[in-house]
């Protein structure tokens, strides 16, 4: 009879939980039992381990082998437990004990050929283990680059079971038989381009002809982290402008970049880059997407959705009225709180979702511009019904609304000088730095997050003469209290871009104009 234990990490949502893999080898009828709420992929680890040891020229322990995944009440999913189970079995089989067991975690999938393969979410798992005091991680070689961005964490890459035994100081009697590792085959992300952050989808502000008011709206949105609603004639540049927004946002800080990279490591099983994701992500789901794909979920343990993949970036919903109402309404909570929690029978998972929302919509179902030869045939009630697909509560959470009309481009305008994204980005960075210095005592990074209490009697309160303009709008019933707070936050962003120490009348009036949901 022998006993050994190792540690690994089980990821629920985007948060990792350290799991103790306890192994007990005893005499009796041959059996291999895995307990502790394992799913099918975890239970199948015994078959992968048996074949991997045979392919590696190792003897498989006979008798009854019991593996407990502690704590037992947490559900376990995925093949990343294989390496920790293999290490525990080998240690118990050879009575191996080392001082590094307490600070080491194991992450990897075993192949039938004895090679170790990478797993999804390795970065998220190791980040959680690091917070709990672990200093070493033994992983597949193809996960090494992904984890190399972490400081103060020792990465031990292993390619085969023999490499694992060498790390455990277990002598190997036979050489590893040569099998071409299946990991040399190329493989891609399981997600398609609806949930991507590739720079190919980012446009430049210099490519947008005309639309100076809409350009200003996008610049203000970037400077203050505000949500935007672009509506108007089809083909006028709404989608192009939305694609410009990530290019003028400030680069992610190192902490944000690590968090974003860890989230995306949960979704993509691809050859990871050694560098962080420095550019804010741009996520643009199709209007046929499901509720689970938008906010996260799925069967078993919830998985991150589009709102989480857009964390610290932009979520763009093109043709917003075409999205099912349930999906649009599901955005209320993350828009308000920057996170959401999904509850299941056995487990609850919290997902970060602090993103900028950009909605784009045409004025009617037929989507015919007023200047086109084929005139719009939609009746007034059809246009109203189409616009009402985006509910009032969602619009009330939007900071900037901009109606765009078709530009009748002239030759002179085509040859004009248009600001590039790099120029606009510099102004945005300077405005964000002003806001960061001003609100650092409040713990606020951008104007969108100024607490409501600070807007009324705190450091963000407007001058009485300027505040009177907002109060008049409230008395007339034009805006709600939430709308008033958004207008004040918006005026601070406009003032930061203009270099004003305090919002002036012109800044507030411009904020009211951009917040207005009426067609202008």
């Amino acid at each position: 009879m022998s006993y050994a234990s190792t540690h690994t990490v089980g990821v629920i949502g985007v948060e990792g939980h350290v799991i103790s893999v306890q192994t007990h080898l005893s005499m009796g009828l041959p059996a291999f039992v895995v307990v502790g709420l394992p799913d099918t992929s975890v239970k199948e680890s015994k078959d992968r381990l048996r074949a991997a040891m045979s392919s590696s020229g190792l003897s498989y322990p006979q008798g009854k082998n019991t593996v407990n995944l502690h704590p037992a009440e947490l559900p376990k999913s995925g093949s990343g437990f294989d390496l920790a189970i293999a290490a525990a079995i080998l240690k118990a089989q050879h009575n191996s004990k080392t001082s590094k067991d307490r600070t080491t975690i194991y992450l990897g999938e075993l192949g039938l050929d004895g090679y170790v393969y990478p797993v999804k979410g390795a970065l998220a798992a190791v980040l959680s283990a690091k917070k709990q005091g672990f200093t070493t991680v033994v992983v597949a070689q193809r996960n090494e680059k992904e984890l190399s961005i972490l400081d103060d964490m020792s990465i031990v890459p292993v390619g085969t079971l023999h490499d694992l035994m060498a790390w455990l100081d277990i002598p190997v009697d036979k050489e590893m038989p040569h099998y071409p590792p299946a990991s040399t085959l190329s493989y891609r992300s399981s997600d398609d381009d609806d949930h991507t952050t590739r720079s190919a989808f980012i446009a430049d502000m210099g490519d947008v002809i005309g639309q100076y008011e809409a350009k200003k709206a996008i610049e203000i949105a970037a400077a203050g982290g505000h949500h935007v609603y672009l509506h108007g004639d089809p083909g006028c540049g709404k989608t192009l402008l939305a694609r410009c927004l990530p290019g003028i946002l400030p680069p992610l800080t190192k902490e944000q970049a690590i968090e974003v990279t860890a989230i995306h490591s949960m979704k993509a099983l691809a050859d990871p880059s050694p560098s962080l994701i420095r550019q804010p992500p741009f996520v643009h789901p199709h209007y046929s997407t499901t509720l689970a794909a938008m906010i996260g979920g799925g069967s078993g343990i919830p998985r991150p959705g589009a709102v989480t993949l857009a964390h610290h970036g932009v979520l763009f919903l093109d043709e917003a009225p075409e999205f099912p109402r349930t999906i649009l309404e599901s955005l209320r909570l993350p828009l308000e709180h920057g996170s959401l929690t999904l509850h299941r029978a056995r487990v609850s998972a919290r997902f970060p979702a602090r993103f900028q929302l950009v909605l784009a919509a045409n004025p009617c179902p037929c989507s015919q511009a007023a200047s086109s030869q084929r005139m719009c045939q939609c009746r007034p009630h059809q246009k109203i019904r189409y616009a009402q697909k985006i509910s009032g509560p969602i619009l009330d959470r939007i900071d900037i609304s901009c109606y765009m009309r078709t530009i009748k481009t002239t030759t002179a305008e085509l040859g004009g000088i248009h600001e590039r994204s790099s120029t606009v980005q510099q102004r945005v960075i300077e405005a964000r730095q002003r806001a960061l210095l001003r609100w650092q005592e409040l713990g606020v990074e951008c104007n969108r997050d100024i607490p409501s209490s600070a807007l009324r009697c705190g450091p963000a309160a407007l001058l009485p003469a300027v505040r009177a303009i907002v109060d008049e709008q409230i008395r007339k019933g034009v805006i709600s209290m939430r709308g008033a707070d958004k207008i004040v936050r918006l005026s601070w962003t406009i003032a930061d871009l203009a270099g004003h120490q305090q919002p002036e009348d012109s800044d507030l009036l411009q904020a009211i104009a951009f917040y207005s949901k009426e067609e202008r």
Side-chain angles (χ1 to χ4, degrees):
M1 182 179 69
S2 56
Y3 169 86
S5 66
T6 56
H7 294 91
T8 186
V9 179
V11 179
I12 298 178
V14 294
E15 297 178 355
H17 301 267
V18 173
I19 304 297
S20 175
V21 180
Q22 304 168 345
T23 302
H24 183 268
L25 307 184
S26 62
M27 302 298 292
L29 295 175
F32 194 116
V33 181
V34 182
V35 297
L37 284 184
D39 71 349
T40 303
S41 60
V42 180
K43 291 179 180 178
E44 291 172 346
S45 62
K46 62 180 184 294
D47 300 308
R48 291 191 292 270
L49 176 60
R50 182 184 290 107
M53 294 184 71
S54 175
S55 299
S56 303
L58 306 175
S59 60
Y60 185 78
Q62 301 299 317
K64 185 175 183 179
N65 307 326
T66 304
V67 175
N68 178 44
L69 305 177
H70 172 77
E73 68 270 11
L74 284 178
K76 286 82 178 179
S77 175
S79 58
F81 296 87
D82 289 2
L83 196 62
I85 294 175
I89 291 289
L90 290 170
K91 286 173 58 180
Q93 188 179 16
H94 295 85
N95 294 317
S96 172
K97 293 183 180 181
T98 61
S99 58
K100 53 193 175 187
D101 291 342
R102 296 180 180 179
T103 59
T104 303
I105 63 171
Y106 299 82
L107 289 171
E109 175 185 335
L110 282 179
L112 305 186
D113 50 8
Y115 286 86
V116 183
Y117 299 102
V119 294
K120 292 183 182 181
L123 182 56
V126 175
L127 278 174
S128 300
K130 182 180 177 182
K131 294 177 183 178
Q132 299 184 48
F134 288 82
T135 58
T136 305
V137 54
V138 180
V139 293
Q141 290 177 344
R142 290 185 62 187
N143 280 130
E144 181 184 11
K145 290 182 179 180
E146 178 185 359
L147 301 178
S148 63
I149 60 178
L150 297 178
D151 300 326
D152 303 325
M153 198 72 182
S154 177
I155 312 300
V156 180
V158 293
T160 65
L161 275 180
H162 283 199
D163 295 337
L164 177 63
M165 294 176 69
W167 161 256
L168 296 173
D169 297 326
I170 298 175
V172 181
D173 298 331
K174 299 180 180 179
E175 293 185 0
M176 174 76 177
H178 177 70
Y179 298 98
S183 57
T184 58
L185 302 175
S186 61
Y187 55 99
R188 300 179 59 185
S189 167
S190 59
D191 302 308
D192 55 25
D193 288 342
D194 279 348
H195 296 335
T196 53
T197 57
R198 301 188 182 96
S199 58
F201 292 96
I202 309 305
D204 195 283
M205 292 285 281
D207 298 332
V208 182
I209 304 300
Q211 301 295 1
Y212 300 109
E213 182 183 4
K215 286 181 179 179
K216 184 64 176 178
I218 291 295
E219 181 179 345
I220 294 172
H226 303 290
H227 307 301
V228 187
Y229 178 35
L230 303 175
H231 52 122
D233 296 340
C236 62
K238 300 186 294 295
T239 301
L240 183 60
L241 263 177
R243 290 170 54 194
C244 292
L245 180 55
I248 63 175
L249 288 173
L252 299 176
T253 64
K254 185 175 182 179
E255 293 75 16
Q256 291 174 338
I258 291 176
E259 188 177 7
V260 169
T261 307
I263 290 172
H264 286 265
S265 75
M266 295 292 301
K267 296 291 290 185
L269 184 60
D271 194 8
S273 170
S275 61
L276 292 168
I277 298 177
R278 287 291 188 180
Q279 189 176 52
F282 180 70
V283 181
H284 54 118
H286 190 262
Y287 53 76
S288 64
T289 191
T290 63
L291 183 63
M294 178 63 74
I295 67 169
S299 60
I301 298 178
R303 301 297 181 186
V307 297
T308 301
L309 293 178
H311 186 55
H312 291 313
V314 178
L315 176 65
F316 176 46
L317 304 187
D318 202 2
E319 305 291 348
E322 300 295 338
F323 281 81
R325 190 180 185 90
T326 53
I327 290 181
L328 293 177
E329 296 302 315
S330 70
L331 299 177
R332 289 192 194 184
L333 187 63
L335 284 174
E336 199 71 23
H337 301 288
S339 65
L340 72 159
T341 302
L342 299 180
H343 299 277
R344 295 295 182 266
R346 290 182 174 179
V347 68
S348 296
R350 180 186 174 276
F351 296 96
R354 185 164 296 279
F355 56 86
Q356 281 187 253
L357 177 65
V358 180
L359 301 177
N362 293 319
C364 64
C366 75
S367 302
Q368 293 297 322
S371 59
S372 64
Q373 293 182 351
R374 180 186 172 188
M375 299 300 294
C376 174
Q377 301 296 321
C378 296
R379 297 182 180 275
H381 71 275
Q382 291 177 307
K383 294 182 179 181
I384 294 174
R385 188 184 301 115
Y386 190 73
Q388 288 178 341
K389 289 184 176 182
I390 304 177
S391 67
I394 293 296
L395 289 178
D396 203 30
R397 287 165 170 80
I398 299 296
D399 307 301
I400 299 174
S401 179
C402 185
Y403 191 88
M404 300 172 60
R405 301 184 184 278
T406 302
I407 296 295
K408 298 179 180 179
T409 308
T410 63
T411 305
E413 191 174 13
L414 282 172
I417 299 176
H418 304 281
E419 282 189 317
R420 310 301 296 182
S421 287
S422 56
T423 303
V424 180
Q425 185 188 44
Q426 187 58 41
R427 290 200 300 267
V428 169
I429 292 175
E430 292 173 359
R432 289 230 181 181
Q433 288 175 343
R434 295 189 187 102
L436 184 61
L437 291 174
R438 185 188 303 115
W439 312 126
Q440 58 183 351
E441 293 185 359
L442 297 175
V444 172
E445 296 182 357
C446 60
N447 292 323
R448 179 187 67 185
D449 300 323
I450 302 174
S452 297
S453 58
L455 296 174
R456 299 183 180 91
C457 57
L462 299 177
L463 296 174
V466 180
R467 180 74 195 189
I469 301 175
V470 180
D471 294 338
E472 182 65 21
Q473 296 290 317
I474 296 176
R475 280 193 294 269
K476 291 181 179 179
V478 177
I479 58 176
S480 64
M481 289 299 295
R482 179 192 282 127
D485 289 347
K486 288 186 176 296
I487 288 173
V488 175
R489 294 186 184 103
L490 201 56
S491 66
W492 274 106
T493 301
I494 296 172
D496 285 335
L497 284 170
H500 300 159
Q501 295 297 321
Q502 184 87 7
E504 301 177 356
D505 291 1
S506 59
D507 301 325
L508 185 62
L509 291 174
Q510 189 176 3
I512 293 174
F514 274 120
Y515 180 77
S516 173
K517 305 300 185 291
E518 301 297 327
E519 177 180 331
R520 300 190 304 275

